[in-house]
C-alpha cells in the first residue's frame, strides 16, 4: 500500500485533552467510526448466503480505503468490545489485538464493528493474510526478552512507527550504533541507528523498535549490508615521523 492515510491518533480523549490535542483525537475518532461502519457494510455485501461464509476480497477494499493501521486498530477495538471474545479462535484473536487501543469510555463502543463473531473472524483472517503478504517483520521474528542491549544488533522497526507508504521489510531493519536507549537499564531513550535498506542514519526511541531480529530471519541483502557496515575501516599507511628513509 503506497497511499498515505489520515493520522491515527493513539491516545485517549482524556490524554488528548491534557496534551491540547482534542481536535486531533476527534478527527481520528470520526475516521475510526467511519471505518467500523465500512467494515460492517463490506461484510454484509460479501456474505455468501449459500455457503454462509465471507467471500474472498472482502477486506481488500476496506484496507485500500482506510489503510492497515486504522483497520487493525478498529478490529482490535472490536475484539475488546465483544461480549464473548472467546468465540474467536486464539490465533486470530491474538493477532487482531496486537494494536493497543486505549480505554476511552463510551467512545470505544462507537468504533467497534458490530457483526457475527464468525464473520468478524473471517474478516480479520483476510486482513492478516493481506498484511503477511507484505513480508513485514514482527515479534515472531525477534529474539525474546526486553532486557537486550541494542548496540551492534539488527533491530526491527515497528510498523506503527513507519508511514504506510514505507511499509516494506527493507525500511524495517536497522543497525543499532549507540545512544542511551540501546541499554535496557538507561533512563535515556535515544537509539542512533542506520537503515540496512538505504543507509539512512537517524535517531529513534527504544520504544520505536519491536526488538532484536533473530539471526535466522536475516535476509541475504541485509547480511551483505551488515557485513559492509561492520567491516573494519581500511587503515591509512602511517608516515614515518623522521620522513622518508633513503637507502
Amino acid at each position: 500500500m503506497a497511499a498515505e492515510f489520515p493520522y491515527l491518533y493513539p491516545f485517549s480523549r482524556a490524554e488528548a485533552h491534557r496534551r491540547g490535542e482534542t481536535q486531533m483525537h476527534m478527527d481520528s475518532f470520526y475516521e475510526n467510526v467511519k471505518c467500523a461502519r465500512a467494515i460492517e457494510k463490506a461484510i454484509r455485501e460479501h456474505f455468501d448466503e449459500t455457503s454462509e461464509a465471507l467471500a474472498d476480497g472482502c477486506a481488500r477494499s476496506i484496507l485500500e480505503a482506510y489503510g492497515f493501521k486504522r483497520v487493525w486498530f478498529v478490529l482490535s477495538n472490536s475484539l475488546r468490545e465483544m461480549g464473548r471474545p472467546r468465540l474467536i479462535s486464539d490465533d486470530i484473536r491474538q493477532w487482531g489485538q496486537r494494536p493497543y487501543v486505549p480505554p476511552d469510555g463510551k467512545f470505544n463502543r462507537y468504533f467497534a464493528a458490530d457483526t457475527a463473531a464468525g464473520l468478524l473472524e473471517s474478516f480479520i483472517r483476510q486482513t492478516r493474510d493481506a498484511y503477511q503478504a507484505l513480508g513485514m517483520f514482527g515479534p515472531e521474528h525477534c529474539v525474546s526478552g526486553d532486557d537486550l542491549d541494542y548496540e551492534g544488533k539488527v533491530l526491527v522497526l515497528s510498523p506503527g512507527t513507519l508511514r504506510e507508504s514505507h511499509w516494506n521489510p527493507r525500511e524495517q531493519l536497522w543497525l543499532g550504533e549507540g545512544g542511551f536507549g540501546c541499554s535496557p537499564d538507561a533512563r535515556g531513550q535515544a537509539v542512533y541507528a542506520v537503515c540496512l535498506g538505504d543507509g539512512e542514519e537517524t535517531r529513534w526511541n527504544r520504544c520505536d523498535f519491536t526488538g532484536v531480529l533473530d539471526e535466522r530471519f536475516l535476509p541475504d541483502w541485509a547480511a551483505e549490508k551488515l557485513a559492509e557496515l561492520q567491516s573494519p575501516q581500511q587503515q591509512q599507511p602511517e608516515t614515518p615521523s623522521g620522513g622518508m628513509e633513503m637507502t
Side-chain angles (χ1 to χ4, degrees), residues 40 94 98 128 141 152 191 196 203 215 233 240 244:
E40 294 168 355
Q94 290 170 7
R98 276 191 192 176
R128 184 189 66 174
H141 302 109
V191 174
L196 297 185
R203 173 201 184 281
E215 292 182 356
Q233 296 292 323
M244 183 180 294

Side-chain angles (χ1 to χ4, degrees), residues 31 61 101 157 200 210:
E31 281 294 311
S61 62
V101 181
L157 194 63
E200 176 188 357
T210 301

Side-chain angles (χ1 to χ4, degrees), residues 169-195:
R170 286 184 173 269
E171 299 201 41
Q172 272 194 288
L173 298 187
W174 294 71
L175 174 63
E177 294 192 313
F180 288 115
C182 284
S183 171
D185 301 320
R187 295 180 63 182
Q189 284 290 307
V191 174
Y192 296 94
V194 56
C195 181

